[in-house]
Amino acid sequence: MSRILHNRLRSSLKKSTAWSCFDKRAVAFSIWTGKSMLLYKPIDPIHIPRRKYGMLIARAVRGVLKIRYLVLGGAVGGGMTLNKKYSEWKDGLPDMGWLNDLLPDNDQWNRFTTTLLDAKDRISDQFQIGRELTLTLTLAADPRLREAGVERAAELRAWLAQRYEDAVAAAAANNTEPAPQKIQNNLQSRPVPSSIPARGSAEDTAAYEKRVHALQEEVLALQARYQRELQRLEQENRELRQQNMLLRQGRQPPPRKLKRSLIDMYSAVLDELSGWESGEAGRLPRVVVVGDQSAGKTSVLEMIAQARIFPRGAGEMCTRAPVKVTLSEGPYHVAQFRDSSREFDLNKESDLADLRKEVELRMRNSVRGGRTVSSDVIAMSVRGPGLPRMVLVDLPGVISTQTVDMAADTRDAIKQMTRTYMDNPNAIILCIQDGSVDAERSNVTDLVSSCDPQGKRTIFVLTKVDLAEENLANPNRIRRILEGKLFPMKALGYYAVVTGRSRKDDSIQSIREYEERFFRSSKLFKDGLVTPSQVTTRNLSLAVAECFWRMVRATVEQQADAFKAMRFNLETEWKNTFPRQRELDRDELFERARAELLDQSAEVSAVAAAAWERRLQDALWSAAKDRVFAGIYLPAAAQAHDDVALPVMQVKYKHKAAGDVMLAEVDPYDFDFNKFNTVVDIKLREWAERELPTQSVLAGREALREEFSALMARAQDSDPVYEPVKKEAVEEALRRHTWEERAQDVLRVLQLNALQDRCVASRADWDAAVSLMETALKEKLSAVDEELKSLTGPGLREKWLYWQSTSEEQKRRGEVRAELERLGSSRPTLAHDEVVAVRDNLRRRGVEVDNDYIRETWKPVYLKHFLERAQTRARDCKKSFYLYSQQNGTGKECCEVVMFWRVSATLRTTANALRQQIGNREAARLDRDLREVLDEMAGDPELKQKLLSGRRVELAEELKRVRQVQEKLEEFIEALNKEK
């Protein structure tokens, strides 16, 4: 009974839409009571709420039990996982035991700290003793302070002590980096007056206070400098330790991004502008070194660069081209050219010698074509510790007399080059004057004063002061020079330097020491003629660098705005002139032309065989038709006519009205066919053995050229602006392309075998041979008619329609031609009797000619008659193939057609062989030659400029260069603002 109720209940629940809900409640009830719900009666609706609450309680209990097991299982599993990960991580750590050998232990640190504290106390005591000793010596040395009294000295001692304590306290308390010491501008310095103020005056005390204050500031600046150096070394030490740890772990350290210095960025801007001739391009600041020849320009530049980097010539012009030197500070003293990756170590004499040789080689290479000087800039950079940051341009020395081994325009070229660089309103002119020669012999001072009359950007440098002091009897002359009162020019500042002792092997350090010793012992200082700020190349370089950067900061924003406006104008012009085209510069256009040409070269292999056959056959016939006609057909026909056994001719005198004499007529069809075939066989074999293979190769190259031209013509999306590049590249590649040598041997064998076949097998071949013969005869007949027209003058039609007339020579030729046509001879050469008969007939009409003149006129006349008769024979033979086939090729009447068929079959075989050679080897070899040509053209900017021209290209080039300069200027300005 229960089973029946169970089945009914299940069937009713299946029909109900609440089956799934009931199933879930049934399962929950079974779990709660431990009994199956199917054994009971149907659910009473009254008991549904009670059962619902039971189900909710069961679900809650089940969730709590699940959470407990999950929490316990997760805690146990997580702990085991963490323990395993910690063990793996600890095992993967590198062995750091090597640090114990490098780092000191606690006892060593304590001893080191105690030593530092003791040293601090000793230094403070020694400094206090030195300060008191200095003050005592100062008071003892100055009689004015002794006379001022003890009270004045006590006050000064107290003031100095207070200043020292303040300075020490400030240095100890200030952990931040102090401001760097500012280099004073010594450009407007003048000698200090020799007058001494009154003893004990306030001015004297203020001067001493100022001096002591300056010394304290110098001590603080030195301390800050050492602090910065210590921080830098600590930072490098930390980086090296990190790299060492990475290397021990087997990992490569990340590459460091090199930060370019300001001067390198500025030099890059100048390099971008090196090709600009006018406008805003040449207005960026730079230091231009000018002077007379052998005045010491190069020596001054080497002293500033602290290395002998330029070659020397004994009494000979050494600087033949502008040399742009970019000086910057760096850890190593090295030099490098702009277009080279090699770095020359300036501390090694071998690298210095190589550098000087390289500079000399570049200068000599720049003066080609018989020139003495060149405007091509040689750019190089010099980096080293303590070098000033600036850009200098060393120019050839100005000369007054040019020798016979110089170019005729050398003097004017140097002056024009110097003026071009100095005309830049932002250029700093470093005027070098030789102090050992008379001021009246200077050539450069007038040139400098004309370019900078106010002296707002000129620095005057007097070199070889040691020689000047020895030779001059009046040292006051040097003082006048350094005060700007001797030369008719103005300057920002005047400097005196010593750049050597006329010794070629002296080092820069020895020269600098000699310079300092000289100025310490020179009477120029002893007598107060020159101030310390006006001497030595060290002070000169600092002053020039300060002036350079001051002008750069003042003008670089203006130059950037100028280039921004220039870019806007060029972009506007492009949009208005070429609105639908992209801005492609010369290099981009060349790369597009290269890609398109290489694609077309790849299409050569995809040309159909039938197209190659037609093109090659046309090229072969064009190359061989003159040889076939003039070297084979006509000579064979001439010999066949000459060997005809003619009947004995009797001269018949037919007295006409004019009394002319006529010869007996000869049958025009008398022809020795055997002789013709023999001569044709010999000529064809000689042609195939000697000339035909070479002509075939030339024809194959011509077919390749025509195929390239056809492919370029079919390129619809090709830009016409780079068509000259493609044409030049194809022509050069074809000139370089050489056919494979063994190919001619293969062609020779094939051609000789093809010429052996004398039997025309089909009517199509026969008709093709007749057609080839008629075409050749027609072309030759047209050429002969043109020759006769040029000899005998225009015909009646030309005279009436085009108002053309004949000359006397053409009239005489016409008379001879008419007489020869009446003669009616069929021989290629006239017999003596025939010539005599023609000459007598012409003499009776009043025309006097000699025998050679008649024979010369007979050649085109005979050729015209022969070609006309040959055309008649070709038309007759066109219908004779059936007769020829019946004779099995032994018939001799149409031997001319057979000859042309043999030629056409040979050319057809040659065309097939050439097509296979092109497809298998020659197309690939030509593609390789084409790639080589394109690579060479890519490295030749002059050729690209010649082939890619026009306003579109030039405008795109200007836009590219302006954008590059603007980007570099903005980058430089951003870095300059950060440095501020």
Side-chain angles (χ1 to χ4, degrees):
M1 189 68 180
S2 61
R3 181 175 296 178
I4 294 172
L5 292 175
H6 176 70
N7 292 336
R8 289 181 179 178
L9 181 60
R10 289 186 62 87
S11 61
S12 63
L13 289 175
K14 285 182 181 180
K15 295 179 182 179
S16 176
T17 57
W19 161 251
S20 59
C21 181
F22 175 78
D23 191 21
K24 293 179 181 179
R25 292 179 179 179
V27 173
F29 180 80
S30 300
I31 294 174
W32 175 255
T33 59
K35 298 180 180 180
S36 176
M37 185 180 176
L38 300 178
L39 301 176
Y40 294 89
K41 296 180 179 181
I43 299 173
D44 189 359
I46 300 175
H47 297 90
I48 289 177
R50 185 183 302 172
R51 191 178 298 113
K52 181 177 181 181
Y53 297 145
M55 293 300 174
L56 292 176
I57 294 172
R59 289 178 183 176
V61 173
R62 184 181 61 181
V64 171
L65 293 176
K66 282 186 178 181
I67 293 174
R68 180 185 61 183
Y69 288 118
L70 288 175
V71 170
L72 293 176
V76 175
M80 296 178 63
T81 303
L82 287 175
N83 188 20
K84 184 178 180 182
K85 290 294 183 180
Y86 173 74
S87 300
E88 293 178 356
W89 177 76
K90 185 172 66 175
D91 295 339
L93 287 177
D95 186 12
M96 304 299 291
W98 57 275
L99 289 176
N100 297 328
D101 300 333
L102 298 178
L103 297 177
D105 53 12
N106 295 330
D107 296 337
Q108 292 176 346
W109 274 115
N110 294 331
R111 288 196 300 271
F112 181 67
T113 305
T114 305
T115 303
L116 287 179
L117 294 175
D118 296 341
K120 174 179 176 298
D121 296 336
R122 291 196 196 98
I123 291 173
S124 300
D125 297 340
Q126 294 294 332
F127 192 86
Q128 180 68 20
I129 294 172
R131 181 179 59 81
E132 294 178 356
L133 179 60
T134 302
L135 183 59
T136 304
L137 292 176
T138 303
L139 294 176
D142 194 351
R144 293 168 291 179
L145 290 179
R146 272 199 313 271
E147 296 176 1
V150 180
E151 183 179 357
R152 180 69 175 263
E155 292 177 359
L156 182 59
R157 185 183 298 107
W159 180 83
L160 290 176
Q162 184 63 34
R163 294 290 296 175
Y164 171 75
E165 292 175 1
D166 295 342
V168 173
N174 188 11
N175 293 326
T176 59
E177 182 179 345
Q181 180 186 4
K182 181 179 180 182
I183 299 176
Q184 299 295 327
N185 182 18
N186 297 321
L187 293 177
Q188 297 290 350
S189 60
R190 291 291 185 270
V192 178
S194 59
S195 61
I196 300 175
R199 298 181 179 181
S201 62
E203 291 82 357
D204 186 67
T205 305
Y208 275 100
E209 292 178 358
K210 184 176 181 180
R211 182 177 179 184
V212 173
H213 186 66
L215 289 175
Q216 292 174 353
E217 288 185 352
E218 186 175 356
V219 170
L220 293 177
L222 187 62
Q223 182 182 359
R225 179 181 175 184
Y226 285 144
Q227 184 68 23
R228 290 197 303 271
E229 188 69 18
L230 182 61
Q231 292 177 359
R232 185 181 64 82
L233 292 175
E234 290 178 353
Q235 179 66 23
E236 291 183 357
N237 191 15
R238 285 194 296 269
E239 293 179 357
L240 290 174
R241 287 183 179 180
Q242 292 177 0
Q243 294 179 7
N244 193 7
M245 291 179 62
L246 292 175
L247 291 175
R248 285 178 177 272
Q249 295 176 8
R251 294 183 295 173
Q252 291 292 335
R256 294 183 59 185
K257 185 177 180 181
L258 298 178
K259 183 179 180 181
R260 299 174 61 193
S261 62
L262 274 177
I263 192 63
D264 291 334
M265 297 167 64
Y266 185 77
S267 179
V269 176
L270 293 181
D271 291 339
E272 287 291 338
L273 299 174
S274 59
W276 293 49
E277 298 178 354
S278 61
E280 300 295 333
R283 296 183 177 273
L284 288 175
R286 68 202 78 183
V287 181
V288 181
V289 185
V290 298
D292 298 332
Q293 185 177 351
S294 301
K297 304 184 311 300
T298 303
S299 299
V300 171
L301 201 152
E302 287 181 340
M303 290 292 291
I304 296 175
Q306 300 180 14
R308 288 189 172 275
I309 58 178
F310 294 107
R312 273 166 170 68
E316 183 183 359
M317 178 181 292
C318 184
T319 305
R320 299 176 178 268
V323 182
K324 183 174 75 70
V325 182
T326 303
L327 299 179
S328 60
E329 192 171 2
Y332 307 106
H333 202 188
V334 295
Q336 184 179 3
F337 290 98
R338 182 184 65 182
D339 54 354
S340 175
S341 59
R342 179 184 177 183
E343 286 189 348
F344 298 88
D345 189 353
L346 301 183
N347 294 321
K348 295 182 179 179
E349 189 59 36
S350 58
D351 282 17
L352 276 173
D354 294 342
L355 177 61
R356 290 191 288 266
K357 290 180 182 178
E358 182 69 20
V359 173
E360 184 177 4
L361 179 62
R362 287 173 180 256
M363 286 188 179
R364 295 192 179 278
N365 290 337
S366 64
V367 289
R368 300 188 184 94
R371 295 180 299 172
T372 305
V373 294
S374 171
S375 59
D376 298 338
V377 180
I378 301 174
M380 63 185 301
S381 61
V382 178
R383 298 184 296 275
L387 289 183
R389 301 180 302 168
M390 65 178 112
V391 177
L392 302 99
V393 181
D394 186 20
L395 298 176
V398 179
I399 60 175
S400 57
T401 303
Q402 57 189 31
T403 58
V404 293
D405 57 345
M406 295 181 180
D409 60 341
T410 301
R411 180 173 55 188
D412 297 335
I414 293 175
K415 288 185 177 180
Q416 181 62 32
M417 185 191 308
T418 305
R419 185 179 293 276
T420 301
Y421 276 90
M422 290 193 303
D423 282 341
N424 176 12
N426 297 322
I428 302 170
I429 304 172
L430 198 62
C431 180
I432 310 297
Q433 174 62 35
D434 189 354
S436 63
V437 300
D438 297 334
E440 293 79 8
R441 294 167 57 183
S442 176
N443 298 311
V444 75
T445 51
D446 294 337
L447 193 61
V448 172
S449 60
S450 63
C451 295
D452 185 23
Q454 302 299 326
K456 296 181 179 180
R457 49 189 180 88
T458 301
I459 299 175
F460 183 86
V461 182
L462 188 66
T463 61
K464 305 178 184 179
V465 185
D466 51 346
L467 300 178
E469 189 180 39
E470 295 177 1
N471 299 331
L472 290 178
N474 183 15
N476 190 47
R477 188 176 179 86
I478 297 179
R479 180 182 61 81
R480 293 183 59 196
I481 293 175
L482 297 179
E483 289 180 354
K485 297 179 179 180
L486 187 62
F487 287 102
M489 59 172 290
K490 298 179 181 180
L492 285 174
Y494 299 83
Y495 285 84
V497 297
V498 175
T499 56
R501 293 174 291 179
S502 301
R503 297 179 183 177
K504 189 175 182 180
D505 298 331
D506 284 351
S507 64
I508 296 297
Q509 183 62 30
S510 62
I511 296 175
R512 177 167 292 179
E513 293 175 357
Y514 168 72
E515 181 185 36
E516 293 177 355
R517 287 197 307 268
F518 167 76
F519 282 116
R520 280 198 303 267
S521 61
S522 174
K523 57 184 178 181
L524 298 175
F525 285 126
K526 291 180 180 180
D527 298 339
L529 299 178
V530 181
T531 60
S533 60
Q534 288 185 274
V535 296
T536 70
T537 52
R538 188 190 304 273
N539 292 333
L540 172 65
S541 61
L542 292 175
V544 174
E546 182 183 358
C547 183
F548 170 76
W549 283 105
R550 186 170 64 248
M551 188 165 289
V552 167
R553 290 186 178 93
T555 59
V556 68
E557 294 283 354
Q558 179 182 357
Q559 300 302 319
D561 293 339
F563 276 100
K564 188 179 298 183
M566 188 186 303
R567 174 179 177 178
F568 176 77
N569 294 335
L570 292 175
E571 288 177 348
T572 303
E573 181 182 355
W574 181 275
K575 291 178 182 178
N576 295 331
T577 309
F578 309 103
R580 298 180 179 272
Q581 294 175 338
R582 292 182 57 190
E583 300 174 10
L584 300 177
D585 56 27
R586 189 171 281 112
D587 293 335
E588 292 173 338
L589 288 173
F590 179 80
E591 291 302 324
R592 286 202 166 202
R594 179 212 290 265
E596 186 171 327
L597 189 55
L598 292 178
D599 291 342
Q600 293 172 353
S601 176
E603 293 178 5
V604 172
S605 303
V607 177
W612 271 121
E613 294 278 350
R614 290 192 299 270
R615 190 177 296 279
L616 288 169
Q617 287 185 20
D618 294 341
L620 286 169
W621 175 244
S622 298
K625 61 182 179 181
D626 293 337
R627 181 69 176 83
V628 169
F629 208 92
I632 300 175
Y633 179 51
L634 289 181
Q639 292 190 25
H641 275 292
D642 287 340
D643 293 342
V644 173
L646 294 178
V648 179
M649 296 185 300
Q650 296 181 355
V651 179
K652 298 182 179 179
Y653 296 94
K654 296 183 178 180
H655 299 280
K656 296 185 178 179
D660 296 340
V661 177
M662 295 294 294
L663 296 177
E665 295 184 355
V666 181
D667 184 7
Y669 292 99
D670 290 334
F671 197 81
D672 189 349
F673 298 105
N674 293 324
K675 184 66 175 179
F676 177 82
N677 290 332
T678 302
V679 174
V680 165
D681 289 341
I682 295 173
K683 296 289 184 181
L684 286 177
R685 186 172 185 84
E686 291 178 353
W687 179 49
E689 289 181 348
R690 299 176 183 176
E691 302 177 16
L692 184 56
T694 304
Q695 291 179 348
S696 301
V697 170
L698 295 177
R701 295 180 61 185
E702 183 64 27
L704 277 176
R705 177 182 288 103
E706 293 177 357
E707 187 61 36
F708 263 107
S709 302
L711 289 173
M712 288 189 291
R714 289 197 296 267
Q716 299 179 357
D717 56 346
S718 178
D719 197 335
V721 73
Y722 48 72
E723 286 299 323
V725 175
K726 296 166 58 177
K727 184 177 180 181
E728 178 67 21
V730 170
E731 294 293 333
E732 181 62 25
L734 289 173
R735 281 193 295 268
R736 296 186 184 184
H737 176 67
T738 57
W739 217 270
E740 196 173 8
E741 295 182 358
R742 64 175 184 175
Q744 294 190 10
D745 299 333
V746 175
L747 291 175
R748 184 179 292 107
V749 174
L750 294 175
Q751 291 161 355
L752 289 174
N753 292 334
L755 288 174
Q756 297 298 324
D757 190 3
R758 297 180 177 85
C759 182
V760 184
S762 63
R763 179 60 183 264
D765 294 339
W766 183 269
D767 292 341
V770 172
S771 176
L772 180 62
M773 179 179 176
E774 289 179 342
T775 303
L777 292 173
K778 185 177 180 181
E779 292 179 359
K780 193 64 177 177
L781 186 59
S782 299
V784 172
D785 288 337
E786 291 295 329
E787 183 181 358
L788 285 174
K789 185 179 294 184
S790 64
L791 290 175
T792 61
L796 183 61
R797 180 173 177 272
E798 287 81 6
K799 290 179 180 180
W800 281 95
L801 294 180
Y802 303 106
W803 294 83
Q804 297 179 358
S805 59
T806 57
S807 62
E808 293 297 331
E809 176 64 23
Q810 290 176 342
K811 290 180 180 179
R812 185 167 58 173
R813 289 279 186 185
E815 293 289 341
V816 177
R817 175 187 176 183
E819 186 63 28
L820 290 172
E821 289 177 348
R822 284 196 295 270
L823 177 65
S825 177
S826 62
R827 289 176 173 270
T829 57
L830 292 176
H832 180 69
D833 295 339
E834 295 173 331
V835 174
V836 171
V838 171
R839 186 184 62 190
D840 292 341
N841 292 338
L842 291 172
R843 185 179 299 167
R844 291 189 182 93
R845 289 198 292 271
V847 180
E848 291 289 340
V849 293
D850 56 6
N851 295 344
D852 295 336
Y853 192 86
I854 295 174
R855 289 191 176 94
E856 182 181 353
T857 310
W858 169 246
K859 292 179 181 179
V861 173
Y862 162 76
L863 188 56
K864 178 178 174 60
H865 292 170
F866 173 79
L867 294 175
E868 291 175 348
R869 293 195 299 270
Q871 283 183 329
T872 302
R873 292 195 296 273
R875 287 192 295 269
D876 295 341
C877 289
K878 191 173 185 179
K879 306 174 184 178
S880 303
F881 176 74
Y882 178 76
L883 179 62
Y884 174 83
S885 60
Q886 291 297 323
Q887 297 175 354
N888 295 323
T890 59
K892 302 177 181 180
E893 290 78 9
C894 294
C895 57
E896 297 167 298
V897 176
V898 175
M899 187 210 78
F900 277 96
W901 178 81
R902 294 170 65 184
V903 171
S904 64
T906 303
L907 296 183
R908 187 166 56 252
T909 302
T910 304
N912 186 24
L914 287 174
R915 177 188 60 80
Q916 294 179 2
Q917 292 177 1
I918 291 174
N920 295 335
R921 293 180 298 275
E922 300 304 327
R925 296 176 71 239
L926 179 60
D927 184 76
R928 184 173 63 252
D929 294 336
L930 183 61
R931 292 177 183 274
E932 293 179 358
V933 171
L934 289 172
D935 292 340
E936 294 178 4
M937 292 175 66
D940 191 350
E942 295 182 357
L943 181 60
K944 288 195 293 186
Q945 185 175 2
K946 176 183 176 182
L947 297 176
L948 296 171
S949 59
R951 182 54 186 166
R952 171 186 168 188
V953 183
E954 298 298 333
L955 186 58
E957 282 290 315
E958 292 179 12
L959 269 170
K960 174 186 175 183
R961 297 185 63 183
V962 168
R963 289 193 182 107
Q964 290 177 350
V965 173
Q966 184 186 358
E967 291 174 359
K968 291 183 180 296
L969 271 175
E970 292 176 352
E971 182 183 2
F972 171 73
I973 292 172
E974 183 180 357
L976 186 64
N977 294 332
K978 288 182 180 179
E979 187 181 72
K980 290 180 181 179

